[in-house]
Amino acid sequence: MIERNHTQDYMMESPVEKNKKLIEDITDSYPKKVSKERKTHLVVIDPSEEQHIMADVATIPGIMTNRGCSYAGAKGVVFGPVKDILHLTHGPIGCGYYTWNTRRNLAEPEEGYNYFIKNCFSTNMQEKDVVFGGEKKLYGAIKEAYEIFKPKVIGIYATCPVGLIGDDIKAVAKRAEEELGIKVITVSCEGYKGVSQSAGHHLASNTLIMDIVGTEELEDPTPYDINIFGEYNIGGDVWLVKDLLQKIGYRVVSVFTGDSKYDDLAKAHRAKLSILMCHRSINYTNRMMEEKFGVPWLKVNYIGISSTIESLREMAKFFDDPMIYENTEKVIEEELKKIKPRLDYYKERLKGKKAILFVGGSRAHHYQDLLKDIGMETIVAGYEFAHRDDYEGRKIIPEIKEAPHHKILDTYHFERVTEPAYPQEKIEEMKSKMPDHFMNYEGMMVHMEEGSIVIDDFNHHETEELIKALKPDIFLSGIKDRYVFQKMGVPSRQIHSYDYSGPYSSFEGAVNFARDMDMAINNPIWKEVTPPWKK
Ligand code: SF4
């Protein structure tokens, strides 16, 4: 515990100096070796120097991290929202439970398609399976699931014990495919395969490209076919976005993977463009889609009004079509008109409020734009599982040294296998019209205010100290950490699952978000709570 009078100590200096000193104090309270390591993960934005951050390395044992495991990244994040795959966790029941509906990926049942989004299927591995092997049990579970639910596709996700005892899930899947006549996909995403859930995103992307995308044909292509990547329909986000895009004239071929179906993912290679929201969870797939099928991608952001408008306008530039240009402006005007009075009301009530954001590998970036739109300020932003390019931009990729855990994650490269929708010269021409940051993600740090703080793999100790010193009006974080801060007297809301609210995307979503911020921050209950530092 650091003893000091925060207010007096830091009153006289510039925000950069003040926060650098604060970070020194917080990290100096660790043992020397830990302190040295943690210092590389905390950066105070200072435009006068070239700044780098350490990311995607293992958490120091003993530190209370909020990260998830590789299995959580593959099954919980990327594949879990696909509504007609029967997702079967091969492992102990706890792993399955851990990824069961915690992210509120909403999905709608559709006629003619299975719907498994609410279910949790597991082989419920026991000690004897670990001793004698779990392949027989896995095959039995696939067969039983098939007989009861008749799925078209089953996905098998391996957890830690499966990798440790060496069950051959691919062989079991092959046998099930032959004997049952269904598709069985596998992801060898044992929890220990990376330092966070990020490894699971990588492995899931490999399965998507190797086994799914490109296996079916789009029967009625249009010039306006697009894919939405890095979007998991938390609280219904993608429904608002799809609605906007369809009003403009685009057709969404597939969403990776919120409210998605196997058949749509299989046809995604025929889209003309992919737009990417969450950079970290699925940029691997975009890179491979571009290599293998020639589908270009743009990094967009439709969280926040100004960023949604910018993204829609840049998409229009890519298609360079009079109808798309015209409809884009029409939709923007209509939407702004609809939300203005409600948004103005909340903006007045939220003016100057300060937020700390600790969420995901991209959300801590996206939500800064939305907070700005409603008059709020982000003073600290941290990612759980980002890589350096999520902070510093894709330009840093050649400089990133391969960590030992990267060696066990297969990275595939492809020759082009299909004729792309547009010839390569045309794609290059379209790309050249775009601002560079839409084709080459420039990361979070470049958009943050001078003196604000960036933290990789934030932990409870650091958060507590920062809250005491910086006194934010709200803490926006994930599923596991929010209650600690709520108990400290700081309102907190989940940006992984939106608690029971949302959607927060695009125009209407911004009003929902502003309403929720107002309810949390200006709730009279906080007057009855005394934070520990005021006692
Ligand atoms: S770390 Fe291993 S045991 Fe724990 S939830 Fe992930 S896969 Fe399961």
Side-chain angles (χ1 to χ4, degrees):
M1 187 62 66
I2 302 163
E3 296 299 336
R4 62 167 173 257
N5 180 334
H6 297 287
T7 316
Q8 279 171 14
D9 274 4
Y10 302 113
M11 232 163 57
M12 305 306 292
E13 298 141 334
S14 76
V16 174
E17 285 165 358
K18 185 184 79 169
N19 285 343
K20 280 186 176 173
K21 202 163 157 192
L22 173 62
I23 295 301
E24 280 292 315
D25 280 355
I26 292 174
T27 47
D28 281 348
S29 65
Y30 291 123
K32 217 168 161 195
K33 206 167 148 195
V34 178
S35 166
K36 197 170 159 215
E37 212 275 343
R38 280 308 297 161
K39 279 186 201 316
T40 62
H41 296 265
L42 290 107
V43 174
V44 178
I45 299 291
D46 179 355
S48 70
E49 54 188 46
E50 189 182 316
Q51 297 189 293
H52 300 290
I53 190 165
M54 183 55 75
D56 192 35
V57 293
T59 303
I60 297 164
I63 281 193
M64 289 276 284
T65 178
N66 292 311
R67 285 171 160 180
C69 69
S70 164
Y71 157 77
K75 195 267 173 182
V77 176
V78 177
F79 269 108
V82 186
K83 61 190 173 190
D84 64 340
I85 295 181
L86 188 149
H87 305 287
L88 176 59
T89 296
H90 185 30
I93 195 68
C95 307
Y97 184 78
Y98 168 53
T99 57
W100 184 24
N101 261 351
T102 46
R103 280 177 40 95
R104 286 188 71 239
N105 310 107
L106 304 189
E108 233 167 358
E110 278 179 57
E111 212 168 324
Y113 284 92
N114 288 314
Y115 179 84
F116 300 115
I117 207 88
K118 299 275 181 214
N119 302 75
C120 177
F121 300 96
S122 164
T123 51
N124 187 18
M125 221 171 186
Q126 304 290 314
E127 285 92 334
K128 71 175 184 333
D129 305 314
V130 174
V131 175
F132 297 110
E135 290 176 13
K136 231 167 127 182
K137 193 166 193 182
L138 175 62
Y139 185 75
I142 295 172
K143 216 165 156 234
E144 190 184 340
Y146 175 71
E147 277 157 14
I148 300 170
F149 296 98
K150 297 285 179 294
K152 186 174 154 187
V153 187
I154 292 183
I156 302 170
Y157 308 91
T159 62
C160 292
V162 173
L164 295 173
I165 63 175
D167 275 0
D168 189 345
I169 61 168
K170 279 197 188 312
V172 178
K174 193 162 176 265
R175 182 182 155 207
E177 282 194 334
E178 285 163 8
E179 291 178 15
L180 305 175
I182 56 169
K183 175 98 181 167
V184 184
I185 56 163
T186 59
V187 194
S188 294
C189 51
E190 293 84 350
Y192 56 77
K193 274 203 167 150
V195 298
S196 70
Q197 56 266 57
S198 172
H201 307 147
H202 183 139
L203 294 162
S205 286
N206 287 352
T207 300
L208 277 167
I209 288 291
M210 301 302 278
D211 294 342
I212 302 177
V213 177
T215 56
E216 291 181 28
E217 274 309 316
L218 188 65
E219 278 160 18
D220 52 347
T222 79
Y224 310 111
D225 291 337
I226 59 169
N227 299 313
I228 304 177
F229 272 87
E231 169 52 59
Y232 306 103
N233 205 29
I234 311 288
D237 276 350
V238 84
W239 293 332
L240 287 185
V241 175
K242 253 182 160 176
D243 199 42
L244 279 186
L245 295 170
Q246 281 162 3
K247 274 191 209 154
I248 292 172
Y250 298 109
R251 185 175 67 164
V252 178
V253 176
S254 68
V255 181
F256 288 72
T257 48
D259 192 20
S260 62
K261 305 190 290 283
Y262 177 87
D263 288 339
D264 294 344
L265 302 177
K267 294 169 190 161
H269 63 302
R270 288 301 181 199
K272 310 294 186 289
L273 175 74
S274 295
I275 56 170
L276 169 66
M277 180 72 179
C278 174
H279 177 257
R280 185 70 269 147
S281 61
I282 206 157
N283 75 60
Y284 316 88
T285 315
N286 287 120
R287 196 257 308 149
M288 291 188 277
M289 289 249 312
E290 188 158 10
E291 283 178 10
K292 197 170 176 184
F293 305 110
V295 185
W297 56 283
L298 297 181
K299 170 72 187 86
V300 299
N301 179 18
Y302 43 77
I303 298 292
I305 301 157
S306 39
S307 44
T308 303
I309 293 174
E310 194 192 3
S311 296
L312 294 178
R313 285 188 176 146
E314 295 311 327
M315 282 177 72
K317 264 193 216 159
F318 182 85
F319 285 92
D320 200 17
D321 179 304
M323 181 274 281
I324 296 284
Y325 279 127
E326 195 182 314
N327 288 354
T328 300
E329 293 309 319
K330 213 164 104 196
V331 165
I332 291 172
E333 203 188 312
E334 277 170 15
E335 295 292 324
L336 284 176
K337 211 161 135 197
K338 263 198 277 176
I339 62 165
K340 191 168 182 315
R342 286 174 290 152
L343 200 73
D344 287 348
Y345 169 78
Y346 292 120
K347 265 167 101 171
E348 194 51 42
R349 293 171 62 83
L350 295 166
K351 208 165 30 184
K353 301 286 184 200
K354 294 180 288 182
I356 294 186
L357 269 166
F358 175 55
V359 64
S362 284
R363 281 172 184 256
H365 184 187
H366 301 138
Y367 277 83
Q368 293 190 39
D369 291 353
L370 178 49
L371 288 163
K372 211 183 264 174
D373 285 338
I374 60 172
M376 292 178 62
E377 189 192 338
T378 305
I379 52 173
V380 180
Y383 286 146
E384 281 164 63
F385 54 82
H387 295 202
R388 280 185 59 196
D389 49 314
D390 299 292
Y391 296 104
E392 299 177 50
R394 289 180 72 79
K395 64 178 184 311
I396 206 76
I397 291 175
E399 287 174 40
I400 299 176
K401 280 203 203 101
E402 200 174 67
H405 66 275
H406 294 154
K407 296 199 172 77
I408 53 170
L409 304 172
D410 290 325
T411 297
Y412 300 117
H413 288 279
F414 298 90
E415 298 288 326
R416 188 69 51 83
V417 297
T418 52
E419 263 310 300
Y422 299 118
Q424 193 60 35
E425 309 80 66
K426 172 89 178 147
I427 294 176
E428 295 308 324
E429 187 203 317
M430 288 154 123
K431 279 185 178 182
S432 68
K433 291 190 201 125
M434 310 299 300
D436 195 42
H437 66 272
F438 274 83
M439 309 303 299
N440 287 304
Y441 180 46
E442 56 187 349
M444 177 172 83
M445 278 164 57
V446 71
H447 293 143
M448 291 189 66
E449 295 294 329
E450 182 171 342
S452 54
I453 301 171
V454 185
I455 302 193
D456 176 68
D457 193 14
F458 220 165
N459 57 54
H460 282 193
H461 165 68
E462 290 162 8
T463 323
E464 279 182 38
E465 293 303 324
L466 281 173
I467 283 179
K468 282 189 245 166
L470 303 176
K471 303 181 182 60
D473 295 290
I474 193 156
F475 190 91
L476 300 170
S477 69
I479 292 154
K480 289 179 271 183
D481 39 1
R482 65 171 294 208
Y483 296 103
V484 179
F485 310 110
Q486 192 105 347
K487 283 180 189 167
M488 288 176 77
V490 179
S492 178
R493 282 195 76 89
Q494 290 192 53
I495 298 301
H496 272 155
S497 72
Y498 307 165
D499 298 296
Y500 300 97
S501 192
Y504 288 159
S505 61
S506 71
F507 300 90
E508 273 302 321
V511 182
N512 296 340
F513 182 76
R515 176 202 61 206
D516 291 352
M517 292 304 99
D518 181 38
M519 273 202 295
I521 297 171
N522 297 319
N523 192 321
I525 191 67
W526 298 114
K527 293 199 184 87
E528 311 298 321
V529 179
T530 311
W533 61 85
K534 283 194 184 160
K535 278 183 184 160

